[in-house]
Amino acid sequence: MKPYIIEKPALPKNFAERFLQIESGKGSYVYDKGGKEYLDFGSGIAVNALGYGREDLAKAAYDQMKKLIHVSNLYTTGPTVELAEKLVKTGNFTAVHFGNSGSEANEAALKYARLYAKMKKGPESVGFVSFSNGFHGRTMGALSVTATEKYKTPFSPLLSDCIILPFNDPDSLKTIKDPRLTAAIIVEVIQGEGGLVSLSEKMVKALNEFCAQYDIILIADEVQTGVGRTGSFYASDEAGLKADIITLAKPLAGGLPLSATLIPAKINDLLHPGDHGTTFGGGPVTSTVALSVLEKIQSDGFLNSVKEKGLFLDKELKKSLKSLDLQGDILGKGLLRGLKIPSLKPESMAALMNTCQDQGLLILRSGQNIIRIAPPLTISENELQKGVTILFKAIKEII
Ligand code: PLP
């Protein structure tokens, strides 16, 4: 069966002009409008952590929608308060700003960090530091700290006072002329869009020390890695990164738009009503669904199962590389994996993704030519094995 493709829908051309039109999903599979089945190794870009067709999430949302959908942030609701309480307990946090997307979570983080730095270190302490190949979102602030020039150039000028240093180069921190003028450093623990490279131990240590020395707010962008994707609740905890702020989004509400910017007391204590806001962020429906997601992800053995499945996937990928006699590296952690095959050229990636799609497998790309695998965290080992088999059959055809 051929994929059900829709051509030129009334969507902006910055996305694509041809789309696979997906109709439904169950477990680790989605089905297109023509009924063709796809094993999903992408989970809606690392969003659908608990898989598709979840009756529990649908019921939680439906029950809450019948009671109350929206109240604005002039008031609050039980689910919002309960979710905030659960999230602050995941680390050294006092409060959560809820939003609707990863970009918004980072936007809030940058604003809070700047407010803190200006009040604590002086009005000129406004700078942001980020890293090569980092991706933090498309809104103007988040884009300003994103590395990819082609995303930025059409919209410049963006924020000034932003510098981008080489990732995993601790010495580069020494090139910051006056660190006291830096408000925040924002970093991903594993670069989700930029090639699945992990922060090195040396870089973690250097960031921790540098930020402590100059009272710089360290922001861990865990929009893609957070809430269990790597087999730990936070990838930054596992890496030993002492983040002041953590940002979350993608899987937080099981596919509904919800983001969280977790802040410590030292920032919260400086805030006044009106400093920042949101209309929809942290509404009762998304919060209720997020509570269900957290219950599952924090249940006994769940994160361990993600770790184990990550190791299984790693083993299967290595086995397949060997059987095709291909050189390659496996990057990332848990169920956020990158497969880097030097002989797979960037210009072949679209063909590889299409071939996989034709064969009933959805995969993602990261960086230029890294195959990104981020399936639902609930995927089974059999499904992982099946996906790897389809993937390597396609790789064999393309290379
Ligand atoms: N930060 C990271 C690490 C991401 O991977 C993404 C999206 O891919 C974002 C921020 C932006 O999130 P959103 O597209 O929800 O604004």
Side-chain angles (χ1 to χ4, degrees):
M1 194 187 276
K2 279 195 172 158
Y4 189 98
I5 302 293
I6 174 162
E7 307 263 358
K8 298 191 176 177
L11 297 169
K13 283 210 261 181
N14 51 281
F15 292 102
E17 293 194 85
R18 300 179 83 245
F19 293 85
L20 177 67
Q21 191 169 332
I22 296 174
E23 191 86 343
S24 65
K26 189 79 197 155
S28 307
Y29 291 89
V30 291
Y31 301 87
D32 73 16
K33 198 167 177 230
K36 183 174 165 66
E37 179 181 86
Y38 305 85
L39 178 58
D40 189 4
F41 264 18
S43 49
I45 319 193
V47 168
N48 302 310
L50 300 185
Y52 295 91
R54 302 275 319 196
E55 296 286 341
D56 53 350
L57 302 189
K59 183 169 186 323
Y62 177 68
D63 290 348
Q64 179 58 47
M65 285 180 82
K66 280 190 296 184
K67 275 197 268 179
L68 191 66
I69 297 177
H70 176 80
V71 294
S72 91
N73 61 11
L74 297 174
Y75 317 98
T76 191
T77 69
T80 312
V81 171
E82 195 183 333
L83 179 63
E85 273 167 12
K86 281 226 157 76
L87 285 174
V88 295
K89 285 195 188 123
T90 58
N92 194 18
F93 308 110
T94 301
V96 190
H97 171 81
F98 289 116
N100 310 282
S101 68
S103 300
E104 264 184 81
N106 288 332
E107 209 68 43
L110 296 171
K111 286 181 73 179
Y112 285 137
R114 202 176 245 191
L115 183 147
Y116 173 86
K118 286 177 76 172
M119 290 176 83
K120 286 282 177 179
K121 298 193 288 183
E124 291 180 338
S125 186
V126 296
F128 296 128
V129 172
S130 57
F131 298 98
S132 53
N133 298 323
F135 183 81
H136 302 291
R138 304 287 194 152
T139 51
M140 288 297 206
L143 190 58
S144 301
V145 292
T146 286
T148 317
E149 281 305 327
K150 82 166 187 204
Y151 296 159
K152 299 199 285 189
T153 310
F155 308 106
S156 62
L158 300 175
L159 282 185
S160 54
D161 303 300
C162 294
I163 58 169
I164 293 177
L165 297 178
F167 190 63
N168 275 344
D169 176 0
D171 287 340
S172 69
L173 294 175
K174 294 181 194 145
T175 65
I176 298 173
K177 278 200 199 92
D178 188 349
R180 284 164 307 175
L181 303 186
T182 300
I185 297 183
I186 182 165
V187 68
E188 290 163 274
V189 184
I190 300 173
Q191 295 190 311
E193 304 296 306
L196 278 316
V197 181
S198 298
L199 262 185
S200 67
E201 270 179 41
K202 276 190 183 156
M203 193 68 190
V204 167
K205 190 165 175 284
L207 284 169
N208 287 343
E209 287 173 4
F210 190 75
C211 289
Q213 186 179 355
Y214 296 105
D215 195 12
I216 293 168
I217 297 295
L218 182 54
I219 304 167
D221 176 348
E222 293 234 32
V223 164
Q224 189 152 164
T225 52
V227 199
R229 167 106 349 238
T230 64
S232 301
F233 194 80
Y234 293 130
S236 51
D237 274 350
E238 204 179 337
L241 190 75
K242 294 184 186 141
D244 298 290
I245 296 181
I246 289 183
T247 57
L248 303 173
K250 288 177 180 284
L252 188 56
L256 291 181
L258 178 67
S259 66
T261 305
L262 289 106
I263 60 171
K266 68 178 181 182
I267 294 179
N268 197 38
D269 289 347
L270 301 177
L271 301 177
H272 298 100
D275 281 342
H276 191 45
T278 173
T279 291
F280 291 116
V285 179
T286 49
S287 296
T288 295
V289 175
L291 283 167
S292 298
V293 171
L294 286 192
E295 196 182 314
K296 180 83 185 159
I297 287 185
Q298 293 178 323
S299 66
D300 282 350
F302 188 89
L303 289 174
N304 226 16
S305 80
V306 175
K307 271 197 186 117
E308 277 166 15
K309 285 185 271 191
L311 292 175
F312 177 82
L313 175 60
D314 184 65
K315 214 168 61 198
E316 289 300 305
L317 292 169
K318 282 189 179 129
K319 233 168 39 190
S320 303
L321 280 171
K322 204 163 166 204
S323 75
L324 285 191
D325 205 15
L326 280 173
Q327 292 297 322
D329 289 316
I330 292 136
L331 306 164
K333 253 208 165 105
L335 288 174
L336 181 61
R337 292 286 174 168
L339 178 58
K340 183 178 180 183
I341 302 177
S343 51
L344 184 65
K345 300 286 170 241
E347 55 275 19
S348 305
M349 286 300 286
L352 176 69
M353 292 170 84
N354 281 334
T355 306
C356 285
Q357 189 171 291
D358 290 346
Q359 301 302 319
L361 176 73
L362 304 183
I363 55 164
L364 301 168
R365 173 186 192 154
S366 179
Q368 291 293 305
N369 64 336
I370 315 274
I371 299 160
R372 180 172 27 160
I373 302 174
L377 305 181
T378 47
I379 195 166
S380 69
E381 289 191 353
N382 275 346
E383 288 166 341
L384 285 171
Q385 203 163 37
K386 177 178 167 184
V388 171
T389 305
I390 302 175
L391 175 62
F392 275 83
K393 192 166 161 267
I395 290 172
K396 202 171 157 191
E397 272 178 42
I398 297 294
I399 283 187

